[in-house]
Amino acid sequence: MSANTQLSSIQDVKQYFATLDTPHYFISSTNFNLMNLEQWVKHWTNINFIDCYDKSNTSVILPSKIGTPVFDSIESVNDFLLGHKDVVSQIEKDIANWQMGEKQDLQAKALFLFFDKTLEETCRSMDLQVCLPPNHLVKKIDNKITTTEIGNEAGVRSVPNALEKVSSYANLRAIAEQYQLGECLVVQSAYGDSGKTTYFISSEAEYDKVASEIEFEEQVKIMKQIRCAGTAIEACATRSGTFVGPLMTELVGIAELTPYQGGWCGNELYQDAFSNSIRAKALEMTVNLGNRLYERGYKGYFEVDYLIDLDTGELYLGELNPRITGISAMTNMSDFCYRTVPLFLFHLLEYSEVVFNLDPNEYNQLALAEGASVTSGQMIFKYIDAGLKVITAAPESGVYKLVNDELTLISKHHDRRQALATNEVFIMRIMDTAEYAYKGADLAIVFTHFRLQSTEKTLTEEARHLLNALQERFSYRELTEEEKMLVERYNSRSSLKGSSYIESEDRKEEEDDSAVEDVS
């Protein structure tokens, strides 16, 4: 296929990527967020820091860790990966081989979970196209204050709120009274994921615990606290319009999985999760947001969290994440996307030279009707204790059979969709033996074919059996005196080379970017 190829059907899209010789590189700590894309894109390579598959996944490149620096941000991990001599050598070799043939696109492609100006410049020097909106635009939209304003412009309302500077508890209460937000409030800072910068405040004592974080911000989002259910949905803003994936539930703040009250810890996809009207409304709102983002110059993938008011039935904008996210694996490996094409392929098309004339409404209506026809879920298993320990045992990644509270490995295959039976799960191990387990660290991600959350927002009995079995697969020991000295020396979780570095534990502004990557 040449660069001026026109695609007008789903089958055309499948064929295009199956035969495309353009190299694509996903540079990230793990391949979690874009799992299985190598099954759809001919020359797809994951350049990773963590070996989740014990070298069994041939799409994963793992550079030598000799001389690994102290990482102080997610971007610094990616900078290390992209600048590593092993990686540079492999990319140069790939590009040289590719350019010997008929070039089907202008440049080889690079993708990141998080990136900065330095990584943009590095890609330019390596003749790699960053297949993402410019970093300055991503940062601007990633601001929760900005996304609230974009939602207002698109006619997508947030929970009743005020966007204000807060200087004291008395000041917070005055703002709440002015905007009629009630006694129980939710306060969010401009940046932050996985619930780390979402604060639930109904008293001065609760405010005092987080006062320094709130008062540090130039502006925060102060919301009325509602009784709600969380949802998550991904979409892709393109020149043809906005393509939208299936609507999912969210697992938030479950104490057995996350130490954070508002912390994201999983998702579910099943037909009875939402009414037809809620799904249709979420689709409409997401299309409106995608079209508005495109008008602002933002192209490609994004995710939206909506909140359903359980008392009124209203659907509100929770937050908008302008990037690949923690539900990207769920979206793209959903049964619906395997019957059509993964939503993320539309993102790759948007950053290609190919002409595509597909009607997003046709894809969206199919996702609306069939997107949740098969039950699936993902559970994020975090280390919830406060004390730092060293992992002494961890499960291999692969397909397991779950019987009562026991997990039996039946296949080391790295394809999540190889877990086919109802009592089979796919475990993606993140942290391995000899690594540091710290509060909030991602230990493993588990994919299931059964419900994880009850109507009371607690784990189902089946999910508890799974969690008990998974916990038995991990063991820990206390730190030695030498290790304690090492920890004190670095004085930062993000400097520990055993850190998991999945997407966004502590996302803040770039100047305070000491994040450990989480999967959300």
Side-chain angles (χ1 to χ4, degrees):
M1 289 187 181
S2 61
N4 59 2
T5 298
Q6 294 194 29
L7 310 181
S8 56
S9 69
I10 291 297
Q11 188 56 43
D12 287 347
V13 175
K14 290 180 181 180
Q15 180 68 13
Y16 174 75
F17 284 106
T19 58
L20 182 66
D21 287 326
T22 305
H24 286 71
Y25 302 97
F26 179 46
I27 299 113
S28 186
S29 297
T30 77
N31 73 319
F32 161 68
N33 302 78
L34 294 179
M35 289 172 66
N36 285 22
L37 257 293
E38 65 272 13
Q39 296 180 3
W40 298 87
V41 182
K42 181 181 177 183
H43 283 282
W44 181 276
T45 302
N46 299 289
I47 299 173
N48 299 150
F49 183 79
I50 298 171
D51 184 4
C52 299
Y53 306 101
D54 302 312
K55 300 182 180 179
S56 67
N57 188 339
T58 57
S59 73
V60 172
I61 291 178
L62 297 157
S64 167
K65 294 184 181 179
I66 296 174
T68 302
V70 173
F71 300 124
D72 61 2
S73 70
I74 298 167
E75 290 83 351
S76 69
V77 180
N78 293 338
D79 189 54
F80 165 78
L81 291 170
L82 193 56
H84 196 288
K85 61 181 181 62
D86 295 349
V87 173
V88 172
S89 175
Q90 183 64 52
I91 291 176
E92 288 178 346
K93 180 181 177 181
D94 291 346
I95 292 177
N97 291 337
W98 169 52
Q99 290 178 339
M100 289 175 63
E102 179 185 353
K103 292 186 67 172
Q104 298 172 319
D105 220 322
L106 296 178
Q107 290 177 292
K109 315 291 186 179
L111 296 122
F112 304 92
L113 222 51
F114 290 105
F115 65 108
D116 55 19
K117 293 179 181 178
T118 299
L119 283 164
E120 286 179 323
E121 292 168 2
T122 300
C123 286
R124 279 194 290 270
S125 71
M126 298 175 67
D127 198 25
L128 291 171
Q129 178 193 358
V130 178
C131 290
L132 298 163
N135 175 253
H136 67 85
L137 180 59
V138 171
K139 287 193 68 63
K140 183 177 181 180
I141 293 173
D142 204 19
N143 184 317
K144 289 183 175 63
I145 310 302
T146 303
T147 58
T148 301
E149 295 168 348
I150 292 173
N152 292 339
E153 294 171 7
V156 179
R157 293 188 304 151
S158 295
V159 173
N161 68 88
L163 306 176
E164 299 282 351
K165 168 73 176 175
V166 174
S167 58
S168 66
Y169 180 69
N171 177 226
L172 177 66
R173 287 305 321 153
I175 294 169
E177 290 173 14
Q178 178 184 349
Y179 289 89
Q180 299 180 328
L181 302 179
E183 295 298 319
C184 299
L185 305 172
V186 180
V187 179
Q188 286 185 322
S189 64
Y191 294 89
D193 293 300
S194 293
K196 285 296 295 294
T197 56
T198 298
Y199 310 109
F200 297 83
I201 300 172
S202 57
S203 68
E204 188 167 5
E206 290 177 342
Y207 176 85
D208 289 341
K209 292 178 183 178
V210 294
S212 59
E213 285 87 350
I214 292 174
E215 293 171 13
F216 172 80
E217 299 289 332
E218 291 184 8
Q219 199 176 37
V220 294
K221 183 176 181 179
I222 307 158
M223 293 175 285
K224 177 182 180 180
Q225 192 173 142
I226 62 172
R227 199 172 63 89
C228 64
T231 74
I233 193 167
E234 289 187 310
C236 187
T238 77
R239 67 193 85 132
S240 293
T242 299
F243 294 83
V244 183
L247 185 67
M248 302 179 199
T249 70
E250 283 196 313
L251 277 65
V252 176
I254 295 178
E256 299 98 320
L257 296 175
T258 176
Y260 309 116
Q261 183 182 1
W264 167 79
C265 48
N267 301 88
E268 298 171 299
L269 189 59
Y270 64 97
Q271 190 60 46
D272 295 335
F274 309 106
S275 66
N276 290 336
S277 61
I278 286 291
R279 282 197 172 92
K281 185 63 176 177
L283 171 61
E284 177 189 357
M285 292 165 70
T286 306
V287 168
N288 289 344
L289 284 171
N291 294 344
R292 183 64 188 134
L293 286 172
Y294 207 80
E295 290 171 5
R296 283 180 168 239
Y298 182 93
K299 302 192 303 181
Y301 220 65
F302 66 97
E303 185 265 349
V304 188
D305 294 337
Y306 293 112
L307 301 174
I308 304 171
D309 189 323
L310 297 177
D311 294 320
T312 67
E314 287 287 331
L315 191 65
Y316 292 112
L317 172 64
E319 65 180 52
L320 188 158
N321 294 302
R323 57 179 175 269
I324 303 159
T325 72
I327 69 166
S328 298
M330 280 280 289
T331 297
N332 292 299
M333 294 191 297
S334 66
D335 199 67
F336 161 72
C337 281
Y338 263 72
R339 291 198 308 272
T340 53
V341 292
L343 181 68
F344 195 72
L345 294 191
F346 296 113
H347 177 97
L348 298 181
L349 286 177
E350 181 61 25
Y351 284 90
S352 73
E353 297 300 305
V354 73
V355 176
F356 60 100
N357 302 306
L358 285 86
D359 180 8
N361 186 58
E362 182 178 343
Y363 184 89
N364 295 347
Q365 289 303 316
L366 196 59
L368 188 65
E370 302 181 12
S373 58
V374 175
T375 299
S376 61
Q378 67 175 3
M379 186 168 73
I380 315 303
F381 178 47
K382 295 178 181 290
Y383 186 73
I384 61 176
D385 293 343
L388 194 66
K389 290 186 179 179
V390 175
I391 299 172
T392 57
E396 298 177 86
S397 293
V399 179
Y400 287 76
K401 180 169 287 187
L402 175 66
V403 180
N404 297 323
D405 283 352
E406 292 188 7
L407 286 166
T408 302
L409 179 67
I410 60 175
S411 170
K412 294 183 181 180
H413 203 286
H414 56 263
D415 182 357
R416 169 264 182 277
R417 290 181 59 85
Q418 291 297 310
L420 300 175
T422 304
N423 68 337
E424 291 177 359
V425 300
F426 181 82
I427 297 177
M428 182 179 183
R429 183 199 68 227
I430 301 302
M431 301 194 74
D432 205 350
T433 56
E435 295 185 327
Y436 291 95
Y438 55 87
K439 181 181 176 181
D442 298 289
L443 300 175
I445 299 121
V446 188
F447 296 90
T448 74
H449 290 296
F450 52 78
R451 292 275 307 278
L452 297 171
Q453 186 172 228
S454 70
T455 54
E456 292 77 30
K457 303 303 177 186
T458 59
L459 292 177
T460 63
E461 184 177 353
E462 202 164 12
R464 288 187 185 281
H465 284 303
L466 171 58
L467 179 58
N468 291 338
L470 186 58
Q471 287 171 332
E472 288 297 315
R473 285 279 177 161
F474 281 91
S475 60
Y476 316 88
R477 66 166 172 80
E478 300 292 339
L479 272 63
T480 64
E481 290 303 316
E482 183 179 356
E483 288 164 340
K484 290 177 182 177
M485 290 175 63
L486 177 65
V487 171
E488 291 174 4
R489 175 186 171 192
Y490 288 124
N491 196 29
S492 169
R493 290 181 307 168
S494 61
S495 71
L496 299 177
K497 294 169 187 169
S499 297
S500 64
Y501 294 107
I502 312 295
E503 181 199 342
S504 74
E505 263 302 323
D506 300 321
R507 286 303 295 179
K508 297 182 182 179
E509 289 257 30
E510 188 169 318
E511 60 267 21
D512 186 30
D513 201 3
S514 57
V516 176
E517 204 173 344
D518 183 34
V519 284
S520 65

